[in-house]
Amino acid sequence: MSTRDSWRNSWGSGYGGGGLSFGGTSAWGAGGGDTVFRVLSRTSERRSKRRSGIISGFSEDGLYEEDDLSVYSERDVHLPPISKAEDWALMPDVKNYAERGEKDQLKSRKLGVTWKNLTVKGIGSDAAFNENVSSQFNIPRNIKEGRQPPPLNTIIDDTHGCVKPGEMLLVLGRPGSGCTTLLKMLANRRNGYAEVNGDVHFGSMTAKEAEQYRGQIVMNTEEELFFPTLTVGQTVDFATRMNVPYHKFSDQHSDKEYQQEYRDFLLKAMGITHTSGTKVGNEYVRGVSGGERKRVSIIETLASRGSVFCWDNSTRGLDASTALQYTKAIRAMTDVVGLSTVVSLYQAGNGIYDLFDKVLVLDEGKEIYYGPREQARPFMEELGFVCGDGANVADFLTGVTVPTERSVRPGFEASFPRTAVEIRDDYSRSDINAIMGKQYAYPQTDEAKENTKEFKEAIAYDKDKSLPKQSPLTVSFAKQVKACVVRQYQIVWGDKPTFIIKQVATLVQALVVGSLFYNASTDSSGLFSKSGALFFSLLYQALMALSEVTDSFAGRPVLAKHKAFAFFHPAAFCIAQIAADIPVLLFQVSHFSLVLYFMVSLRLSASAFFIYWVTLLATAICMAAVMRAIGAVFSTFDGATKLSGFWFSALITYIGYFIPKNRMHPWFVWIYWIDPLAYGFEILLANEVHGQTIPCVNNNLIPNGPGYTDLAFQSCAGVAGAVQGATTVTGDQYLQAFSYKHSHLWRNFGIIWAWWAFFVVVTIVATSNWKEMAGKSGFLVIPRENVKKTLPLLQNDEESQAKEKPASRDQLAPLDSSSSSMDEKTIENQLISNTSVFTWKNLTYTVKTPSGDRVLLDNIQGWVKPGMLGALMGSSGAGKTTLLDVLAQRKTEGSITGSVLVDGRPLSVAFQRSAGYCEQLDIHEPLATVREALEFSALLRQGRSIPKEEKIKYVDTIINLLEMQDIEHTLVGRTGAGLSVEQRKRLTIGVELVAKPSILIFLDEPTSGLDGQAAFNTLRFLRKLAAVGQAVLVTIHQPSALLFKEFDTLLLLARGGKTVYFGDIGVDASTLKDYFARNGAPCPRGVNPAEHMIDVVSGSASQGKDWNQVWLESPEHKEVSNEVDRINKEAAGKPPGTVDDGHEFAMPLWQQTKLVTHRMNVALYRNTDYINNKFALHIGSALFNGFTFWKIGSSVQELQLKLFTIFNFIFVAPGVINQLQPLFIDRRDIYEFREKKSKMYSWIAFVTGLIVSEFPYLCICAVLYFAPWYYTVGFTTDSNKSGATFFVMLFYEFIYTGIGQFIAAYAPNAVFASLVNPALITVLVSFCGVLVPYSQIQEFWRYWIYWLNPFNYLVSSILTFTVFDNVVQCDDHEFALFDTPNNQTCGEYLAPYKAGLGARTNLVNPEATSGCRVCQYRFGSDYLATLNINDYYVGWRDAGIVVIFAISSYVMVFLLMRLRTKATKTAS
């Protein structure tokens, strides 16, 4: 029987002999059945030719015979269509969509993508130096480097290809070969590249024309970007809601019906319906498993209903069975709907590989093969390469240029092509290239033009009629806004703790401030209190708005992704944020107002209260818009915090409370006019005092006291607006003194809303221009001080930097050859040969959830022996990582029962550092180099008896072993700039290895995200470790048959943490296959046993059996239980294999502290963004403060200005604190997630290092503030006074840094910290004696919080040094002016007053008999007495107390970090 007949028969049996012709639409839109028939016929025809040996040039004996590819054209259309994914469970649903579309005669949305001569260049990596604090000031070098154009680096070199509708192309290449860049070009994403040359056509459209269809040409990137507090259901719901077509199927009656049907189909297709109510989560928010999160990102991409899909390594983190199901889903949709699909994969198994039509292989950006999938392997074999039996063909194709990976057929040793260039030359001469070249004219064909025309019509038909013609969006603007509003509420509700904290903090603030200004009087003494309360009402709204800057950056990557998918217009998102704000702010402002207004006893009338409330609401909304606009305009968080901190202090200073408008200097008065808070303050003050008559009392009435009762011979003093000689002042006179008018009230209200509208527009415009991050892992970063050590590193692609392969590569000996035997011997000598046995029995792990207890691990048992490499497998979400965490004692929540023993004994205190644990997430200090990271781990985790030199030498061994010599002096960096995924993974493994783990090594997904070769190298390396006696336990997702062979034992888990198998794997997995065959699930020939197991447990081969029950009833289970007992008994009878030194940490605390502090110092020294920000904020604030209060004189009102300029110095803190907390929390996360759990060093060393590393910069900051401010304001130049002031300012730097750090030490995240800051700072600011003088503070607060407030001592000490000796000279209008009774002289009339209450006043004309002129104060000390500063020594006393506060704020950091540090759980 011929191949074709057998193919016909197999097709016939699969379909009962009848051919199916189904139409071509789906949720995507659509197409007539005949078009799909054509596409699938062509696909099937190609496959039939493949089988008959025409295309591939296979002769009957299977050898590669001739390149007869000329028949790669339409023929045999009578063959019925067939899809390779015909057996996919949801295929009927896809066909059903298609048939419904055909019935409704919907147009098809097929495009296809064709490219030729495509070359892409990026900015070269040599330019990536990381400057440090001192090197950045090397101006000559900066100028020289700035004048040289950055070198360009070719990422993709002259590639071409064509993916027609209904075709799937697999792009293969090692990390660094340019796969991601090629996919970005095919998805029409050109941002961030220096140069793109060549033609890319989508259908018959050019790349430029296709820009307006960005929602149809989509890419799923490797990063997973979500709002972590949303559930999976909410995330998918939003995505599907944004793509409901205007014209639905005729049998659907509403948008909701369409959206729900589509949503449920997608969740079912990816097998995550059960996670609908679980949070998506991220590294720090608990949510679904990594594999499930990956599937959510796949669903989100499919929800776009695109026509061209590019998938970048989308199976990363999925188990083999799920990865195959995903590829089948894509295949089914591609076939039925006529999509064009381009997929790049690492570690693609043969089952997945066989689902593709075409393959494109990239090496160093060069296209070394592009053609039919069937042809790829024979083509390479003809060149002399050998593909081993059962090997992954995809790995074979990417390995042909790698000396350590390829194997060459005998007889070809001299002639085989050695480099990418040579293979490309061979390919370009081949017939495959000539035939494929004919397809590049596809955009000019009638078929492409017709498809494109239909595509445009289909998109227009789908699009809501209210949208502009050029809009890439689908649903109407109103629906976009509605969906965004719903999502915004879900985000708020998902993060309830933050919402509750905000509201509680607001209520507490209102109560505190209400009690501070409690029952303010209606006379002149209450004026200052009331205006203080009004000022504070606005200040608090502005402080709360500051957290918007942090929020803006948290959501930005998700927004950029959704914009690329054309889900919504950024304006919809901005409007949704405002809409979501309104009820929250309504609630917040209402309870704040109700409490504060009536406690302070402001004007008691309904209209006055309503005006107060509505003004606060308008100001709160406006300030949120201001901060959001700042967040939107800046591309970096550092830039935004710099401006927001500075702008915040400018708005507060120019509100009109500190400096009356008429005393503002002309160079800054414009800030007053653009300050929304200033308009709000005028409204509140006018609303409060208009129409009132305010009598002068106490200090403000001269003379007063016994014997002075006749108002005719008294006068107001120190009350703004009071007419000289009068004893009362009207509210309008008071307003006039500040250049305010009651008639401005509603005008100002309108101006606040105008500013709000302006900032909303700015936000929308800026948000619309947000770009997705261009590169991914763009380049290595070399610290400037390491430039000489680092040889010029050649960078390859944005994805990573695979080492440049030398031209004559076969000179490089393979790693396993004799050349490396010396290395291996060294390693064998150096690695500790482990003799301990690790066992666990009846291990159960339960966590509490809102719906009750949930068992994540259920009665698991097993062991790891020295020299054994154990695999831990299961479907996504089966509890693999959970089991590793429990075994490695990394869990801090939940309860664990069962036993975990080493050598039959309970785990020792040193267990966590004696066992190595490589977590799935590669968390490292980004500003350390690779060598520094490894040395840090070695020095801290190897025993204290080992000399330092030996530890460093061992680091060299591991660097050589992991082949990281070329990158050892480069920074770890972050995604985008730094190590690639694969290099990070190697570093994670290295960090654990240099610790010389003595018991065993756990690795969680060490091969996830690596290509086949890197995965194989990693596993071969683990095999080496096992060979020298290490015990290794590894969780692994998608092992190829080749990788699976390396393991000795397997623990297989099903969902819910139930055991399906534990025991030996056997030679070629014989033992394992035998177990499953005996129980009714034999492994078919040629199938990867690892994939088969997962399929049996969770996939299509499960046959509905409870495989956990099968295991529990098996003789193997009984044997395992007995064996665990036997191992424990035997081991307990012998001396332990590992001797416990009794120390929790390997090194003493002093050594830990030295090493940690050194690392923090280096990291901060390299963190120029952070340090420059700190410096800029200080210089900017100091100059601003200095020029605002330029050369203050010595009148009474100017004494007040001196107080306010000092008070203003306090406000350097919020900006710097907002910037230092995210850094602190980042460092804390690295410590808590990895270093604390491996008992690397104590929390005491961590906190000490963080605190001490800031000291040098804080000293510089104090100088940078002092110098531009102190002399500009015009304070005394006496060095005793200026030196003392500087001393206090220096310690204030330490105080606020300590405050910021202790809040961050306990805060769960940076947003939480940014909400606590305003609460604490406002309380401290309120009670420091500036806003309310000491004598007027309510007694409840006066006797404790005033004395416990560091800001009180700060202000009073600086005031003492700068104001105490000043001679006061009243301005004319500041004198109290009155006549005397009975022709007395002024001196006689005021004698009793001067002897008593008026002792500190200054009578300037004692001899006059009328028009007595009295100034409130003689010296600065008289004014300070009203502020509870009664003597000069108080200045030095308070300076000493400031030092004590600086120390105590750091003590608080230690205290709160200790409270946060939880002990890990052990099995009981």
Side-chain angles (χ1 to χ4, degrees):
M1 183 167 65
S2 73
T3 342
R4 171 166 287 199
D5 291 334
S6 68
W7 176 78
R8 278 187 191 287
N9 288 352
S10 68
W11 177 86
S13 62
Y15 289 84
L20 233 179
S21 157
F22 41 76
T25 185
S26 82
W28 276 261
D34 60 329
T35 327
V36 172
F37 185 92
R38 270 206 320 276
V39 171
L40 290 179
S41 300
R42 212 172 312 124
T43 315
S44 61
E45 169 216 347
R46 278 178 230 139
R47 287 172 203 142
S48 66
K49 285 176 192 161
R50 155 76 180 90
R51 287 166 175 79
S52 63
I54 300 172
I55 278 190
S56 58
F58 274 87
S59 64
E60 285 303 311
D61 61 6
L63 287 172
Y64 189 66
E65 187 181 81
E66 56 174 339
D67 283 319
D68 182 12
L69 286 150
S70 54
V71 290
Y72 199 67
S73 58
E74 292 204 27
R75 199 179 335 140
D76 267 2
V77 178
H78 64 272
L79 275 174
I82 180 172
S83 169
K84 293 182 183 176
E86 205 56 57
D87 60 343
W88 183 51
L90 294 184
M91 189 61 154
D93 298 37
V94 181
K95 290 179 183 173
N96 173 35
Y97 273 123
E99 284 159 2
R100 285 155 78 187
E102 184 191 5
K103 196 175 98 194
D104 294 348
Q105 295 184 326
L106 297 177
K107 295 241 192 279
S108 87
R109 295 165 59 155
K110 299 178 191 151
L111 265 187
V113 56
T114 313
W115 65 103
K116 58 182 183 196
N117 309 331
L118 180 64
T119 299
V120 181
K121 295 184 178 178
I123 302 287
S125 69
D126 314 41
F129 293 119
N130 183 75
E131 299 297 349
N132 55 49
V133 172
S134 52
S135 76
Q136 62 178 338
F137 296 115
N138 185 338
I139 293 163
R141 191 195 55 224
N142 293 347
I143 292 171
K144 185 180 158 201
E145 285 181 2
R147 288 164 77 173
Q148 293 169 348
L152 290 186
N153 156 49
T154 304
I155 300 171
I156 289 188
D157 186 6
D158 192 26
T159 72
H160 27 72
C162 172
V163 186
K164 294 180 186 174
E167 287 185 341
M168 283 176 73
L169 168 71
L170 176 61
V171 178
L172 295 172
R174 305 195 55 193
S177 54
C179 300
T180 297
T181 300
L182 177 62
L183 262 64
K184 283 189 174 181
M185 293 303 117
L186 302 188
N188 216 9
R189 296 186 179 193
R190 299 185 168 210
N191 273 338
Y193 294 101
E195 217 175 89
V196 180
N197 298 315
D199 297 329
V200 182
H201 280 87
F202 299 92
S204 61
M205 294 183 284
T206 63
K208 189 84 189 134
E209 292 169 308
E211 278 174 11
Q212 78 170 81
Y213 298 104
R214 65 165 187 261
Q216 301 305 307
I217 302 164
V218 290
M219 176 168 176
N220 176 257
T221 58
E222 224 175 329
E223 292 95 3
E224 284 141 35
L225 307 166
F226 297 106
F227 289 109
T229 57
L230 291 182
T231 65
V232 170
Q234 289 165 346
T235 305
V236 175
D237 207 59
F238 178 78
T240 47
R241 209 178 272 196
M242 287 307 187
N243 261 300
V244 177
Y246 187 68
H247 294 99
K248 289 161 282 296
F249 294 132
S250 51
D251 58 356
Q252 286 174 331
H253 306 298
S254 70
D255 286 1
K256 198 172 175 71
E257 189 184 338
Y258 177 95
Q259 180 252 329
Q260 286 179 346
E261 186 182 328
Y262 190 31
R263 177 196 66 199
D264 297 343
F265 165 73
L266 289 175
L267 285 168
K268 210 157 79 178
M270 288 300 129
I272 53 170
T273 314
H274 63 282
T275 64
S276 192
T278 313
K279 283 184 182 177
V280 177
N282 61 9
E283 298 94 317
Y284 310 119
V285 175
R286 252 179 59 189
V288 295
S289 73
E292 287 164 344
R293 194 174 306 127
K294 188 78 216 173
R295 283 180 271 171
V296 177
S297 86
I298 291 170
I299 288 178
E300 212 176 30
T301 309
L302 288 173
S304 65
R305 295 167 50 246
S307 301
V308 176
F309 280 95
C310 296
W311 303 90
D312 187 16
N313 199 11
S314 298
T315 58
R316 178 180 170 191
L318 300 183
D319 60 76
S321 169
T322 311
L324 184 61
Q325 289 306 314
Y326 150 75
T327 317
K328 280 186 176 176
I330 303 297
R331 177 81 257 180
M333 293 171 193
T334 302
D335 284 345
V336 178
V337 187
L339 306 178
S340 304
T341 305
V342 184
V343 184
S344 79
L345 292 179
Y346 294 154
Q347 301 184 51
N350 288 338
I352 291 174
Y353 176 80
D354 290 341
L355 289 169
F356 288 87
D357 301 310
K358 294 176 178 173
V359 173
L360 188 154
V361 186
L362 284 176
D363 193 289
E364 294 170 359
K366 296 170 183 64
E367 186 171 296
I368 60 172
Y369 176 82
Y370 162 69
R373 171 186 53 79
E374 299 88 341
Q375 280 299 95
R377 177 174 168 176
F379 169 76
M380 291 299 179
E381 288 183 330
E382 193 190 42
L383 296 180
F385 301 107
V386 177
C387 181
D389 282 341
N392 279 354
V393 180
D395 290 348
F396 160 69
L397 294 175
T398 54
V400 291
T401 58
V402 187
T404 53
E405 202 176 335
R406 63 187 173 208
S407 48
V408 179
R409 211 157 69 212
F412 280 82
E413 290 87 344
S415 62
F416 78 92
R418 281 155 169 74
T419 63
V421 176
E422 288 171 23
I423 299 177
R424 182 167 71 173
D425 292 345
D426 283 333
Y427 169 72
S428 56
R429 289 192 292 269
S430 72
D431 288 354
I432 302 177
N433 181 40
I435 298 299
M436 298 316 283
K438 291 177 183 170
Q439 296 189 6
Y440 307 150
Y442 177 74
Q444 285 78 50
T445 61
D446 293 342
E447 182 190 344
K449 288 174 184 168
E450 182 58 31
N451 276 348
T452 308
K453 180 169 166 274
E454 283 199 8
F455 166 83
K456 289 180 176 176
E457 287 168 5
I459 298 300
Y461 188 68
D462 265 2
K463 195 190 295 183
D464 193 283
K465 296 295 167 251
S466 63
L467 291 170
K469 225 177 180 145
Q470 299 296 313
S471 171
L473 310 173
T474 306
V475 300
S476 68
F477 189 68
K479 285 177 185 165
Q480 293 169 36
V481 173
K482 185 183 166 192
C484 287
V485 170
V486 170
R487 181 180 66 171
Q488 211 56 31
Y489 281 127
Q490 287 167 342
I491 290 169
V492 170
W493 192 243
D495 192 13
K496 286 190 279 291
T498 304
F499 174 74
I500 292 164
I501 289 153
K502 247 184 182 169
Q503 301 314 317
V504 170
T506 303
L507 186 60
V508 170
Q509 281 299 324
L511 287 165
V512 168
V513 176
S515 61
L516 173 68
F517 298 105
Y518 185 67
N519 220 355
S521 61
T522 52
D523 52 36
S524 64
S525 64
L527 266 180
F528 193 64
S529 296
K530 284 182 176 177
S531 49
L534 299 175
F535 163 71
F536 183 84
S537 305
L538 294 171
L539 169 72
Y540 187 71
Q541 309 311 323
L543 267 172
M544 289 304 270
L546 268 177
S547 65
E548 290 296 337
V549 179
T550 317
D551 284 354
S552 164
F553 282 87
R556 180 172 300 195
V558 187
L559 202 81
K561 174 175 79 166
H562 286 171
K563 187 185 160 192
F565 286 159
F567 279 177
F568 54 80
H569 193 281
F573 173 73
C574 298
I575 291 166
Q577 276 190 312
I578 295 159
D581 276 352
I582 289 170
V584 174
L585 288 173
L586 261 172
F587 179 66
Q588 190 172 303
V589 168
S590 298
H591 68 78
F592 179 85
S593 303
L594 281 166
V595 172
L596 186 81
Y597 194 88
F598 295 105
M599 280 185 78
V600 178
S601 181
L602 295 171
R603 193 172 196 164
L604 293 176
S605 78
S607 64
F609 173 74
F610 171 75
I611 289 169
Y612 171 84
W613 172 82
V614 79
T615 305
L616 279 199
L617 182 64
T619 316
I621 292 172
C622 184
M623 286 310 293
V626 172
M627 293 306 166
R628 220 169 256 161
I630 291 173
V633 166
F634 279 85
S635 58
T636 65
F637 178 67
D638 277 340
T641 41
K642 209 181 298 179
L643 184 72
S644 62
F646 184 69
W647 192 233
F648 172 77
S649 60
L651 295 185
I652 294 301
T653 308
Y654 282 85
I655 195 171
Y657 172 71
F658 295 128
I659 317 169
K661 183 185 160 291
N662 49 19
R663 292 196 82 98
M664 291 176 187
H665 290 295
W667 52 76
F668 279 151
V669 75
W670 56 272
I671 298 174
Y672 172 84
W673 294 114
I674 63 166
D675 182 355
L677 295 175
Y679 294 101
F681 188 63
E682 182 174 359
I683 295 175
L684 296 184
L685 199 60
N687 179 47
E688 181 57 35
V689 302
H690 169 65
Q692 300 208 3
T693 302
I694 300 141
C696 296
V697 294
N698 304 341
N699 277 3
N700 300 126
L701 187 64
I702 295 178
N704 65 33
Y708 298 99
T709 50
D710 190 345
L711 292 178
F713 303 108
Q714 290 171 300
S715 171
C716 286
V719 180
V723 178
Q724 285 180 315
T727 55
T728 61
V729 61
T730 66
D732 292 300
Q733 283 172 334
Y734 184 70
L735 290 173
Q736 187 62 48
F738 294 104
S739 312
Y740 290 164
K741 286 185 182 157
H742 181 257
S743 58
H744 289 170
L745 198 145
W746 293 111
R747 177 204 76 172
N748 287 4
F749 187 70
I751 290 172
I752 292 172
W753 285 109
W755 276 122
W756 168 80
F758 170 73
F759 286 113
V760 167
V761 170
V762 169
T763 309
I764 290 172
V765 171
T767 308
S768 303
N769 291 321
W770 277 355
K771 300 279 190 282
E772 264 200 304
M773 287 300 290
K776 207 179 56 173
S777 289
F779 39 83
L780 291 174
V781 184
I782 304 162
R784 180 61 78 175
E785 63 272 26
N786 284 1
V787 169
K788 289 196 175 87
K789 291 185 202 167
T790 314
L791 296 167
L793 283 157
L794 293 170
Q795 166 231 357
N796 283 328
D797 175 36
E798 57 168 302
E799 298 154 47
S800 104
Q801 312 68 34
K803 233 186 322 181
E804 180 79 335
K805 293 171 268 187
S808 158
R809 279 189 226 149
D810 52 342
Q811 292 166 3
L812 283 179
L815 239 170
D816 288 335
S817 75
S818 56
S819 72
S820 60
S821 61
M822 186 274 294
D823 249 3
E824 289 186 16
K825 284 203 176 70
T826 318
I827 290 154
E828 282 175 32
N829 296 339
Q830 289 212 13
L831 267 177
I832 296 177
S833 178
N834 167 35
T835 56
S836 293
V837 183
F838 183 72
T839 62
W840 57 96
K841 187 167 186 194
N842 302 337
L843 201 58
T844 301
Y845 177 58
T846 315
V847 291
K848 296 205 179 308
T849 66
S851 52
D853 285 358
R854 184 171 165 202
V855 177
L856 296 183
L857 298 176
D858 191 359
N859 260 329
I860 296 178
Q861 48 197 352
W863 62 81
V864 191
K865 296 177 182 173
M868 176 180 132
L869 182 57
L872 174 51
M873 289 175 65
S875 57
S876 298
K880 303 182 293 292
T881 302
T882 307
L883 176 59
L884 278 199
D885 280 345
V886 168
L887 291 178
Q889 288 200 306
R890 298 294 172 96
K891 289 289 184 200
T892 54
E893 310 288 335
S895 65
I896 303 168
T897 57
S899 67
V900 180
L901 306 174
V902 172
D903 292 329
R905 299 165 175 81
L907 304 185
S908 69
V909 66
F911 172 75
Q912 277 169 274
R913 67 179 168 83
S914 311
Y917 186 6
C918 302
E919 301 210 29
Q920 197 170 346
L921 297 165
D922 305 311
I923 298 174
H924 298 284
E925 164 57 65
L927 288 160
T929 64
V930 170
R931 173 171 279 282
E932 285 163 2
L934 294 171
E935 286 183 359
F936 183 72
S937 178
L939 292 170
L940 280 170
R941 285 179 62 189
Q942 289 187 30
R944 50 186 80 185
S945 58
I946 302 171
K948 182 178 175 181
E949 294 68 37
E950 199 178 308
K951 292 180 182 180
I952 300 293
K953 198 171 161 209
Y954 188 60
V955 169
D956 298 337
T957 309
I958 297 294
I959 285 176
N960 291 334
L961 185 78
L962 290 171
E963 296 170 9
M964 298 180 92
Q965 304 91 323
D966 56 336
I967 55 169
E968 63 176 309
H969 295 299
T970 64
L971 293 183
V972 175
R974 298 185 184 279
T975 316
L979 301 186
S980 68
V981 173
E982 186 246 358
Q983 289 164 335
R984 263 167 215 277
K985 190 58 77 184
R986 276 191 284 166
L987 177 60
T988 303
I989 295 171
V991 162
E992 293 304 317
L993 288 181
V994 293
K996 283 196 177 174
S998 57
I999 297 177
L1000 84 161
I1001 301 171
F1002 299 104
L1003 298 104
D1004 191 10
E1005 302 290 356
T1007 60
S1008 192
L1010 306 187
D1011 68 311
Q1013 171 63 8
F1016 181 67
N1017 284 346
T1018 305
L1019 224 66
R1020 190 185 57 188
F1021 171 61
L1022 296 176
R1023 185 73 265 176
K1024 274 185 198 171
L1025 290 179
V1028 297
Q1030 271 293 355
V1032 186
L1033 182 60
V1034 182
T1035 67
I1036 192 156
H1037 255 326
Q1038 299 176 24
S1040 62
L1042 200 63
L1043 292 188
F1044 194 57
K1045 269 184 192 167
E1046 299 287 329
F1047 290 101
D1048 302 315
T1049 60
L1050 169 70
L1051 172 52
L1052 187 59
L1053 296 181
R1055 184 168 289 288
K1058 297 176 190 297
T1059 308
V1060 173
Y1061 179 81
F1062 176 75
D1064 287 344
I1065 292 173
V1067 178
D1068 285 336
S1070 53
T1071 316
L1072 185 62
K1073 286 179 184 169
D1074 181 48
Y1075 170 78
F1076 280 99
R1078 256 199 348 265
N1079 290 296
C1083 179
R1085 270 198 69 183
V1087 170
N1088 176 357
E1091 293 183 10
H1092 175 66
M1093 300 314 133
I1094 300 290
D1095 221 17
V1096 167
V1097 179
S1098 63
S1100 51
S1102 65
Q1103 307 167 6
K1105 279 188 187 175
D1106 180 350
W1107 285 94
N1108 173 242
Q1109 203 49 47
V1110 172
W1111 166 252
L1112 293 176
E1113 290 163 6
S1114 70
E1116 283 89 347
H1117 170 249
K1118 205 168 179 185
E1119 279 169 35
V1120 167
S1121 297
N1122 295 338
E1123 179 68 3
V1124 171
D1125 293 337
R1126 190 192 65 73
I1127 291 171
N1128 285 338
K1129 196 172 172 188
E1130 198 175 289
K1134 296 179 187 168
T1138 325
V1139 183
D1140 177 20
D1141 60 6
H1143 298 296
E1144 185 180 6
F1145 301 103
M1147 298 302 282
L1149 183 61
W1150 170 240
Q1151 289 293 336
Q1152 294 172 36
T1153 308
K1154 268 192 348 192
L1155 285 164
V1156 174
T1157 306
H1158 175 69
R1159 177 172 76 160
M1160 302 279 189
N1161 276 331
V1162 170
L1164 219 50
Y1165 181 62
R1166 288 178 182 151
N1167 195 346
T1168 47
D1169 275 353
Y1170 173 75
I1171 298 298
N1172 292 350
N1173 245 351
K1174 234 184 173 59
F1175 290 171
L1177 206 67
H1178 278 80
I1179 296 169
S1181 303
L1183 288 170
F1184 180 71
N1185 193 357
F1187 282 102
T1188 294
F1189 296 95
W1190 171 260
K1191 299 290 180 204
I1192 305 174
S1194 51
S1195 67
V1196 171
Q1197 199 166 9
E1198 283 169 319
L1199 285 174
Q1200 188 95 33
L1201 294 183
K1202 285 181 179 173
L1203 168 67
F1204 281 143
T1205 186
I1206 292 164
F1207 181 61
N1208 228 0
F1209 168 53
I1210 289 177
F1211 288 99
V1212 75
V1216 183
I1217 287 176
N1218 267 358
Q1219 186 209 352
L1220 76 85
Q1221 283 173 336
L1223 183 77
F1224 186 102
I1225 289 169
D1226 274 356
R1227 295 273 148 78
R1228 189 194 68 193
D1229 288 340
I1230 293 171
Y1231 170 65
E1232 288 188 341
F1233 281 85
R1234 188 168 60 81
E1235 293 165 348
K1236 182 185 95 177
K1237 289 174 179 173
S1238 56
K1239 292 284 159 82
M1240 209 180 223
Y1241 53 88
S1242 157
W1243 63 272
I1244 298 173
F1246 168 73
V1247 177
T1248 309
L1250 262 176
I1251 288 173
V1252 173
S1253 60
E1254 290 271 4
F1255 283 179
Y1257 305 104
L1258 294 178
C1259 295
I1260 297 169
C1261 283
V1263 176
L1264 292 179
Y1265 199 103
F1266 175 80
W1269 168 69
Y1270 186 86
Y1271 299 105
T1272 325
V1273 172
F1275 284 147
T1276 172
T1277 51
D1278 176 355
S1279 58
N1280 284 336
K1281 308 271 185 359
S1282 56
T1285 304
F1286 175 72
F1287 174 79
V1288 177
M1289 288 174 71
L1290 173 62
F1291 276 91
Y1292 175 61
E1293 295 287 336
F1294 298 140
I1295 288 178
Y1296 78 70
T1297 304
I1299 290 172
Q1301 287 180 337
F1302 82 63
I1303 292 172
Y1306 202 70
N1309 54 44
V1311 175
F1312 179 98
S1314 70
L1315 293 171
V1316 176
N1317 297 337
L1320 186 65
I1321 286 169
T1322 37
V1323 169
L1324 295 178
V1325 162
S1326 310
F1327 291 98
C1328 69
V1330 174
L1331 295 180
V1332 183
Y1334 174 73
S1335 57
Q1336 290 179 29
I1337 296 176
Q1338 293 299 319
E1339 287 179 1
F1340 171 73
W1341 299 113
R1342 194 190 309 166
Y1343 296 124
W1344 67 282
I1345 201 165
Y1346 173 81
W1347 297 107
L1348 287 178
N1349 187 345
F1351 291 4
N1352 158 33
Y1353 300 100
L1354 169 79
V1355 172
S1356 82
S1357 54
I1358 298 180
L1359 265 177
T1360 308
F1361 299 138
T1362 53
V1363 174
F1364 198 86
D1365 297 341
N1366 292 7
V1367 176
V1368 178
Q1369 291 168 334
C1370 270
D1371 287 349
D1372 270 354
H1373 66 89
E1374 290 174 339
F1375 284 106
L1377 198 62
F1378 50 89
D1379 294 331
T1380 57
N1382 313 326
N1383 247 358
Q1384 288 173 294
T1385 64
C1386 296
E1388 291 163 355
Y1389 174 57
L1390 290 178
Y1393 174 67
K1394 290 284 285 175
L1397 289 175
R1400 293 182 180 276
T1401 57
N1402 182 16
L1403 172 63
V1404 295
N1405 54 348
E1407 303 306 322
T1409 52
S1410 65
C1412 301
R1413 292 160 71 82
V1414 179
C1415 185
Q1416 264 181 299
Y1417 310 114
R1418 300 162 304 162
F1419 302 103
S1421 53
D1422 299 330
Y1423 169 64
L1424 295 184
T1426 64
L1427 299 173
N1428 198 34
I1429 302 170
N1430 295 314
D1431 212 329
Y1432 189 75
Y1433 83 86
V1434 170
W1436 280 109
R1437 178 202 72 185
D1438 289 355
I1441 294 173
V1442 165
V1443 174
I1444 293 167
F1445 269 108
I1447 295 164
S1448 60
S1449 71
Y1450 284 131
V1451 170
M1452 285 292 288
V1453 186
F1454 282 96
L1455 199 67
L1456 287 165
M1457 193 68 202
R1458 177 74 194 96
L1459 285 174
R1460 190 186 158 80
T1461 307
K1462 293 179 186 170
T1464 48
K1465 298 275 179 184
T1466 49
S1468 55

